[in-house]
């Protein structure tokens, strides 16, 4: 999935909460529904958005649907973000950085004398 699709999917607070719930492993949909005060169709829609973005996957066991994080998708997001974060710039790039010093204007000896004309 593209970074744009992933970022739109995680832009909602409820979807981020679902991701946090799944960080320790897969959960049945009913366990996710229990964590929210919203109606089940609302949470189902959030889960669908996450699934369409490739952030979660599903596994059916009888009548139960289990949701789990797709680590590969989150790793792609982390790979895209890591160069943008402070302290994560590779040493090679740090060495190649060019520091530009502002050119100083040469001092004019006549600037000391202010003309009143």
């Amino acid at each position: 999935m593209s970074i744009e699709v992933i970022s739109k999917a995680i832009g909602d607070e409820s979807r981020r909460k679902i991701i946090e719930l799944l960080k320790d492993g897969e959960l049945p949909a009913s366990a996710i529904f229990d964590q929210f005060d919203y109606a089940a169709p609302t949470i189902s829609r959030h889960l669908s958005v996450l699934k369409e973005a490739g952030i979660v996957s599903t596994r059916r066991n009888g009548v139960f649907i289990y949701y789990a994080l797709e680590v590969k998708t989150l790793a792609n997001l982390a790979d895209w973000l890591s160069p943008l974060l402070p302290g994560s710039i590779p040493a090679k790039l740090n060495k190649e950085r060019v520091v530009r010093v502002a050119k100083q204007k040469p001092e004019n000896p006549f600037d000391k004398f202010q003309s009143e004309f």
Side-chain angles (χ1 to χ4, degrees), residues 1 21 31 39 58 64 83 88 90 92 95 103 107-109 111 117:
M1 283 294 149
L21 291 171
T58 58
F64 299 102
S88 63
K92 181 180 177 184
K95 290 178 185 176
K103 292 183 180 180
E107 187 177 326
N108 185 343
D111 285 344
F117 300 110

Side-chain angles (χ1 to χ4, degrees), residues 5-108:
V5 172
I6 296 167
S7 61
K8 283 183 181 180
I10 63 175
D12 183 85
E13 184 179 352
S14 297
R15 292 193 281 266
R16 288 193 304 271
K17 184 176 178 180
I18 292 170
I19 292 169
E20 289 174 15
L21 291 171
L22 295 172
K23 73 178 183 211
D24 294 326
E26 71 176 11
L27 289 173
S30 59
I32 296 170
F33 293 157
D34 290 343
Q35 299 297 317
F36 293 91
D37 293 330
Y38 307 129
T42 303
I43 302 306
S44 290
R45 179 64 189 141
H46 286 305
L47 288 166
S48 294
V49 170
L50 291 171
K51 186 176 178 181
E52 290 168 8
I55 297 171
V56 299
S57 61
T58 58
R59 177 179 68 85
R60 187 174 288 275
N61 185 8
V63 295
F64 299 102
I65 299 175
Y66 289 83
Y67 288 88
L69 288 178
E70 280 295 321
V71 177
K72 184 177 177 183
T73 302
L74 296 175
N76 289 341
L77 179 62
D79 290 345
W80 182 81
L81 283 173
S82 64
L84 306 174
L85 301 174
S88 63
I89 299 173
K92 181 180 177 184
L93 292 177
N94 251 352
K95 290 178 185 176
E96 293 178 3
R97 181 177 285 166
V98 176
V99 178
R100 297 180 188 252
V101 178
K103 292 183 180 180
Q104 293 182 347
K105 190 175 177 182
E107 187 177 326
N108 185 343

